């Protein structure tokens, strides 16, 4: 599958998108599962989370299928115990069952077109977890995003930056949510990009987890203005 995240997104990710996300809360949630462990981040992007997670982990592998996002991470400097791999999580990952923890933030695993693709992605992650290993991930909160779908197009001030961001959100009959983002921050030219994600309810995410061989999920709904729910799951014994 062609990578969704191209050069346009990578060019503004760290300046416009990353600062709006609560890194301290994400690290606090992940910390007990990072400490001293060999860890996999799925959809590592520009290393927003991996850079803070790596000093806590024994080692960290970051997988992403977007060369521009990985290039942006490399340009900032990759911690010594981090290995980056350009790979698609819809294909088997080239590792043994070696990770104690896998995590995925900001809805990276929702970058799929169907429920079957989500099961495939989850199965590929489970295959590289040690027996009893854990997967923690953020998935799009339907409660947070439904109002955006109903609004159609909204323009808001870009947090921590100035200028405005305009979001146009649509949802099709196959539960694929498309969000077109246009960032205007004069005098820079506008930057525009689209994301497509599988927009499904908690029970459907949990059904995909079960099909992929994970045990019951602990579920932490998005709080306040947060756009993602958290799922914590353990791989069943093989
Ligand atoms: C919203 S960004 C999140 C980046 C990072 N995890 C963070 O929290 O800042 C989603 C990331 O998932 C990656 N991604 C999407 N589909 C993917 C796939 N099929 N295989 C690997 N990575 C993928 C994108 O390239 C992008 O870097």
């Amino acid at each position: 599958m062609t990578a969704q995240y191209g050069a346009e997104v990578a060019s503004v990710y760290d300046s416009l998108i990353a600062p709006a996300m609560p890194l301290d809360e994400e690290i606090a949630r992940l910390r007990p599962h990072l400490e001293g462990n060999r860890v996999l981040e799925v959809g590592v992007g520009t290393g927003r989370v991996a850079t803070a997670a790596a000093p806590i982990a024994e080692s960290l592998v970051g997988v992403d299928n977007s060369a521009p996002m990985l290039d942006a991470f490399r340009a900032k400097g990759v911690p010594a115990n981090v290995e980056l791999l350009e790979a698609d999580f819809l294909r088997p990952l080239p590792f043994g069952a070696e990770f104690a923890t896998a995590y995925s933030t900001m809805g990276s695993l929702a970058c799929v077109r169907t429920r079957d693709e989500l099961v495939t992605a989850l199965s590929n992650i489970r295959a590289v977890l040690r027996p009893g290993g854990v997967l923690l991930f953020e998935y799009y909160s339907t409660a947070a995003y439904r109002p955006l779908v109903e609004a159609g197009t909204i323009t808001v001030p870009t947090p921590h930056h100035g200028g405005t961001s305009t979001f146009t959100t649509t949802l099709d009959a196959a539960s694929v949510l498309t969000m077109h983002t246009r960032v205007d921050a004069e005098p820079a030219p506008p930057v525009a990009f689209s994301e497509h994600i599988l927009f499904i309810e908690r029970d459907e995410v949990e059904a995909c987890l079960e099909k992929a061989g994970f045990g019951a999920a602990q579920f932490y709904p998005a709080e306040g203005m947060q756009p993602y729910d958290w799922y914590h799951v353990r791989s069943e014994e093989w």
Side-chain angles (χ1 to χ4, degrees), residues 1 3-5 13 17-18 26 41-49 63-66 69 87-90 103-109 111-112 138 140 195 228:
M1 192 165 89
Q4 265 205 55
Y5 281 65
Y13 195 86
I17 299 172
E26 287 170 317
E41 179 172 347
V42 183
V44 69
T46 63
R48 183 183 68 90
V49 179
V63 166
D64 205 288
N65 71 342
S66 164
M69 293 292 276
D88 185 345
F89 58 57
L90 290 173
Y103 72 89
S104 188
T105 52
M106 285 185 70
S108 304
L109 283 171
C111 296
V112 293
E138 289 181 308
Y140 284 74
E195 293 159 275
Y228 304 107

Side-chain angles (χ1 to χ4, degrees), residues 114-130:
T114 63
R115 292 157 183 78
D116 284 349
E117 281 194 353
L118 181 56
V119 173
T120 298
L122 293 167
S123 302
N124 289 338
I125 295 169
R126 180 173 171 253
V128 299
L129 282 175
R130 291 182 199 156

